[in-house]
Amino acid sequence: MKLIERDGYLRKLIDVMGTPDIKVITGVRRSGKSKLMERFKAYILEQNDNANIIHINFNLTQYEALQEYHALHDYIEEQYDSAKDNFVLIDEIQMCSQFELAVNSLHASERYDIYITGSNAFLLSSDLATLFTGRTFEIKVYPFSFQEFVTYHGLDDPYTALDRYMREGGMAGSYLYKNQEDKYTYIGEVFDTLILRDIRQKYNIRNQTLMDSVVDFLMDNIANLTSARNITEVLHKNKDTINHKTVGKYLEYLCNAFAFYKIRRYDIRGKKYLATNHKYYLSDHAFRYAKLGTKNLDHGRLLENIVAMELLRRGYEVYVGVLYKKEIDFVAIKRNEKLYIQVSDNISDGDTFAREVAPLLQIKDAYPKMVLARTRYEEYQYEGIRVIDIADWLLENP
């Protein structure tokens, strides 16, 4: 498989080398966590002649004997070299029973620089503080961005490249297949067998059909305001027996496993977060194509999904903005930086353009505002608002 340098993620790992934290690489299945670990290992070997790297990949049968925490701990201790800088790199750590006990003991010895990856459902961001008694540093890995997609395929025209990215998405394993249907088969199997299976296994979900119904609803309603109650009402109309508390748990499981990302609403005028009705975005928009095909496909909402994930990649806190009962697609916040963003498939029609800019014009603060659309033209300004083609914005260096 062709590899490209994912320099941003690699730099994050390099920047925390030698810190006392347990470095945890998280993200949806098949997003490239193990490949990143391999590249980081190569970097250590290139830069540190005194490195002793203890690398365990539980996907390989040669490490089956270490799938119990005593065995894992003892093996690493046996590989320790007091004369060297000792690095511990463990892939798919959830395959070791009670792995946290081994990692905590190794960390407490203060002799190892520890890096781990694991299944999205078994190594949750929300669980890290509970699992590990020492400090953790999380490196969040996402499927390929549009910029990485363009680099991988060597594409020159950003506008036609975006057409292709919208269809194929960022699950790099699918790029090996030439036929589009084969790509979707791969992507669908990743979602079903690696993401949903993990969730069902961890939480012992018996009624798989109901969870599938919740997943299908979310996929069919990306970028729409959604709550556990309105999902429950829809399922009841379909004669499914489920309550909103169970639906709420399923939503939590899916987000914890990085299948979906929940974006909360933010009242711009009142400067407060709103508790009800959120938006849910897929970790990779191609999952929707693979599972639902083109049924009820809305290109505007698909583009909104792509922008939401790109903002998360760039390290922003992302919210849906509310101002005087009007909605701003995204309020993106990073420390003292704030962006207001509207996303549209096509703004060539004057009424559509006026509708998109109207909420932005009502915002009185001086933070940057922009409309992202498929203009296929150079960027221009309207009343202080940047109007830029989505493909050009996605290729900007953040």
Side-chain angles (χ1 to χ4, degrees):
M1 179 179 178
K2 179 180 176 181
L3 297 177
I4 65 169
E5 295 292 342
R6 307 189 80 184
D7 293 335
Y9 297 122
L10 181 60
R11 176 52 54 188
K12 288 180 181 179
L13 285 170
I14 293 169
D15 286 346
V16 294
M17 283 178 64
T19 64
D21 306 324
I22 301 167
K23 275 69 76 173
V24 185
I25 303 172
T26 63
V28 71
R29 285 278 202 165
R30 299 293 170 88
S31 59
K33 300 188 295 292
S34 294
K35 294 298 183 185
L36 175 62
M37 187 82 94
E38 290 175 10
R39 180 64 190 92
F40 180 58
K41 177 181 177 181
Y43 174 86
I44 297 171
L45 293 173
E46 291 167 5
Q47 300 295 322
N48 188 343
D49 293 335
N50 196 48
N52 176 40
I53 300 177
I54 307 165
H55 186 193
I56 299 163
N57 185 344
F58 279 114
N59 281 318
L60 304 178
T61 56
Q62 68 194 75
Y63 296 110
E64 281 184 1
L66 305 183
Q67 292 180 4
E68 190 275 334
Y69 80 94
H70 290 101
L72 175 64
H73 179 274
D74 292 346
Y75 173 83
I76 293 172
E77 288 281 69
E78 290 168 3
Q79 304 299 313
Y80 175 76
D81 187 337
S82 60
K84 293 183 177 291
D85 300 323
N86 290 268
F87 295 83
V88 173
L89 281 59
I90 309 176
D91 274 313
E92 298 297 335
I93 195 168
Q94 82 286 343
M95 295 177 70
C96 173
S97 174
Q98 295 183 287
F99 62 85
E100 67 276 11
L101 298 179
V103 173
N104 284 331
S105 177
L106 295 168
H107 179 260
S109 73
E110 299 183 354
R111 295 182 299 161
Y112 301 94
D113 199 356
I114 303 173
Y115 302 79
I116 61 176
T117 77
S119 158
N120 40 286
F122 288 84
L123 202 62
L124 309 178
S125 299
S126 57
D127 288 351
L128 296 183
T130 303
L131 283 172
F132 303 118
T133 55
R135 283 186 53 188
T136 58
F137 185 91
E138 185 178 4
I139 296 94
K140 299 177 182 178
V141 175
Y142 299 91
F144 269 26
S145 67
F146 176 59
Q147 191 171 63
E148 291 172 322
F149 180 86
V150 167
T151 300
Y152 182 95
H153 291 290
L155 305 176
D156 296 320
D157 181 351
Y159 308 129
T160 56
L162 183 57
D163 291 336
R164 182 173 168 185
Y165 182 66
M166 289 175 68
R167 294 191 304 272
E168 297 186 19
M171 300 303 290
S174 69
Y175 302 163
L176 298 175
Y177 299 91
K178 296 180 180 180
N179 180 276
Q180 192 65 52
E181 284 306 310
D182 292 338
K183 292 176 186 287
Y184 289 148
T185 297
Y186 169 87
I187 294 168
E189 287 177 353
V190 168
F191 196 88
D192 287 338
T193 63
L194 297 182
I195 299 173
L196 295 185
R197 184 192 63 188
D198 276 359
I199 296 171
R200 292 167 182 146
Q201 180 181 345
K202 176 167 184 176
Y203 299 107
N204 193 27
I205 295 172
R206 296 178 181 177
N207 194 331
Q208 297 182 15
T209 302
L210 277 179
M211 172 162 246
D212 290 345
S213 296
V214 173
V215 169
D216 287 349
F217 181 95
L218 289 180
M219 286 188 173
D220 204 25
N221 287 274
I222 53 172
N224 284 342
L225 289 174
T226 302
S227 71
R229 288 189 180 277
N230 63 34
I231 295 175
T232 304
E233 290 171 2
V234 170
L235 295 181
H236 282 171
K237 291 177 181 178
N238 295 333
K239 308 302 183 184
D240 290 321
T241 303
I242 193 171
N243 61 58
H244 71 276
K245 291 183 179 179
T246 301
V247 171
K249 288 181 180 179
Y250 287 175
L251 294 176
E252 181 183 353
Y253 299 159
L254 290 163
C255 291
N256 282 343
F258 309 105
F260 291 87
Y261 286 80
K262 180 174 77 173
I263 304 299
R264 298 165 59 196
R265 298 168 74 217
Y266 179 76
D267 185 334
I268 296 170
R269 186 164 176 253
K271 297 181 180 179
K272 62 182 179 181
Y273 305 109
L274 303 175
T276 59
N277 289 339
H278 312 292
K279 289 189 176 185
Y280 292 85
Y281 295 96
L282 275 162
S283 55
D284 190 79
H285 57 280
F287 286 135
R288 190 198 184 285
Y289 268 114
K291 298 295 293 177
L292 301 184
T294 57
K295 184 185 77 170
N296 299 330
L297 184 63
D298 183 319
H299 287 98
R301 290 194 281 133
L302 199 67
L303 289 167
E304 199 174 314
N305 199 118
I306 291 171
V307 171
M309 295 309 302
E310 181 63 23
L311 289 168
L312 292 171
R313 280 189 195 91
R314 296 183 184 186
Y316 288 98
E317 297 175 42
V318 184
Y319 303 94
V320 176
V322 178
L323 180 66
Y324 301 111
K325 297 185 179 181
K326 291 187 177 181
E327 184 180 295
I328 290 89
D329 289 331
F330 298 116
V331 180
I333 301 170
K334 188 194 301 183
R335 292 180 286 278
N336 294 324
E337 181 184 358
K338 185 184 292 185
L339 300 173
Y340 299 106
I341 300 174
Q342 290 284 75
V343 180
S344 180
D345 181 26
N346 188 339
I347 55 172
S348 59
D349 177 78
D351 291 340
T352 302
F353 179 76
R355 184 177 68 248
E356 294 296 342
V357 299
L360 297 176
L361 291 172
Q362 292 187 36
I363 300 172
K364 301 306 180 184
D365 65 41
Y367 289 109
K369 305 165 185 66
M370 66 178 71
V371 174
L372 302 179
R374 305 196 72 196
T375 67
R376 296 179 181 259
Y377 295 113
E378 292 183 359
E379 175 183 345
Y380 64 94
Q381 296 268 335
Y382 175 83
E383 299 290 338
I385 298 169
R386 290 179 69 193
V387 182
I388 182 171
D389 188 274
I390 292 179
D392 292 333
W393 178 80
L394 289 169
L395 292 175
E396 284 183 348
N397 289 319

